[in-house]
Amino acid sequence: MSAEITLLVNPTAGRGRGAHAAQPAASALRAAGFCVRTVLGADAGDALARLRTAVREGTGAVIAVGGDGVVSLALQALAGTLVPLGVVAVGTGNDFARAMGLPVSEPAQAGRLAAEAIKEGRVREIDLGRVAPADAGAGSGGGTWYGTVLCSGFDSRVNDRGNRMRLPAGRFKYDLAILAELAAFRPFPYRITLDDGPVIETEAALVAVGNGSSYGGGMRICADAVPDDGLFDVVVVGDCSRSTLLKVFPRVYKGTHLSHPQVTVHRAAKITLEAAGITAYADGEPLGPLPVTAACVPAALRLLV
């Protein structure tokens, strides 16, 4: 393995924590004898291009410093390669790190863990989701990779509204977006195809496709999802009233919503979701409007643990 390690840094993650976290992470790697190369990039596209160049040139590992957004960026360059990923989780949500049992908001500890894992060859091969427009098919070789949850429905509508709001800043903006979406809430007519089975036509508040267990900073929407079993956990919150949704949604933080009679869980290696006027999000990033097809790709990523 190359002695050069690439640090992919989002300096704005966690309201500036990413910039501060890069230093102790880099120090831990250098103390272990590695040469550290830092990738920032003028924007996400530039950072991804630089990261792909580092991977092509033979970097020994990539360490993503930031939140789920920077991890998502790293996945686009590392999926299907032999280059392992380490995570220094200092973002707002950090759902990928939590799902994988990695340190959160402890950059020095995370840096030491990554350095030790590289030296000892400690990697865990995990699955990733690959998403493409339904007419292209997720197995066509293109698409976007994700590690945690693809969401659609009420939760993605909240994201849409929150992203349009300039004020207030921070988490409170999304609390207001939830209230606004609840006021207008109606279940959405979905067409769901699991693997190559028949189309399921149903009314649902939301459909979440989990490779990992949580999104939104610890909301355990797909609480039982296992990231190395070759299958998605598909959670469907069915046709329910506004009052029922208000009762069910808070239970997501503990994962106890899965026992509610309006919640159904399927397991599948591939899923196609169709619904009018719904945007799909994965790892917190917008993918585009439904319909989309997602495939679970086994052992697509080598994770430093």
Side-chain angles (χ1 to χ4, degrees):
M1 178 178 289
S2 169
E4 182 180 90
I5 306 301
T6 301
L7 214 61
L8 175 65
V9 181
N10 178 1
T12 64
R15 299 182 184 179
R17 288 194 298 272
H20 296 291
Q23 184 175 352
S27 295
L29 289 161
R30 290 190 179 107
F34 295 107
C35 175
V36 177
R37 171 186 181 183
T38 300
V39 169
L40 290 169
D43 52 33
D46 181 48
L48 180 55
R50 291 170 183 267
L51 183 61
R52 283 179 166 150
T53 297
V55 171
R56 190 166 56 248
E57 291 177 350
T59 188
V62 171
I63 312 299
V65 183
D68 290 321
V70 75
V71 171
S72 176
L73 198 65
L75 297 184
Q76 310 316 310
L78 297 181
T81 76
L82 295 177
V83 179
L85 173 68
V87 179
V88 176
V90 289
T92 303
N94 303 314
D95 288 291
F96 183 87
R98 284 194 179 93
M100 305 304 161
L102 299 173
V104 172
S105 300
E106 296 286 349
Q109 179 188 354
R112 288 193 299 270
L113 176 70
E116 292 167 3
I118 296 168
K119 281 198 162 187
E120 297 172 12
R122 294 200 316 262
V123 295
R124 178 185 181 188
E125 292 188 338
I126 66 166
D127 309 334
L128 294 176
R130 185 166 59 191
V131 191
D135 56 357
S140 62
T144 301
W145 298 92
Y146 77 95
T148 57
V149 178
L150 181 156
C151 70
S152 69
F154 174 75
D155 42 9
S156 66
R157 282 287 183 91
V158 168
N159 270 327
D160 285 342
R161 185 179 289 270
N163 290 341
R164 292 194 302 267
M165 295 167 63
R166 294 191 175 185
L167 294 172
R171 187 90 187 169
F172 188 52
K173 176 170 66 175
Y174 290 93
D175 293 338
L176 290 180
I178 288 173
L179 293 175
E181 286 301 321
L182 276 171
F185 173 72
R186 289 183 181 178
F188 309 100
Y190 275 90
R191 288 168 54 87
I192 304 170
T193 307
L194 301 172
D195 294 321
D196 294 317
V199 173
I200 301 169
E201 298 195 23
T202 186
E203 298 272 323
L206 65 88
V207 180
V209 184
N211 182 60
S213 57
S214 69
Y215 64 0
M219 301 171 69
R220 295 175 55 76
I221 185 69
C222 300
D224 295 334
V226 178
D228 57 3
D229 63 353
L231 296 170
F232 292 130
D233 276 27
V234 180
V235 175
V236 180
V237 179
D239 184 0
C240 60
S241 65
R242 187 182 298 116
S243 60
T244 299
L245 185 61
L246 275 168
K247 292 175 183 176
V248 173
F249 212 69
R251 293 171 57 177
V252 170
Y253 285 96
K254 293 186 177 180
T256 58
H257 64 292
L258 297 181
S259 63
H260 192 280
Q262 287 292 342
V263 177
T264 306
V265 181
H266 308 274
R267 305 190 79 224
K270 185 176 75 171
I271 179 171
T272 297
L273 292 176
E274 303 172 72
I278 299 295
T279 303
Y281 284 74
D283 289 344
E285 303 295 319
L287 295 173
L290 299 186
V292 297
T293 295
C296 184
V297 182
L301 180 72
R302 303 179 78 232
L303 183 68
L304 297 169
V305 294

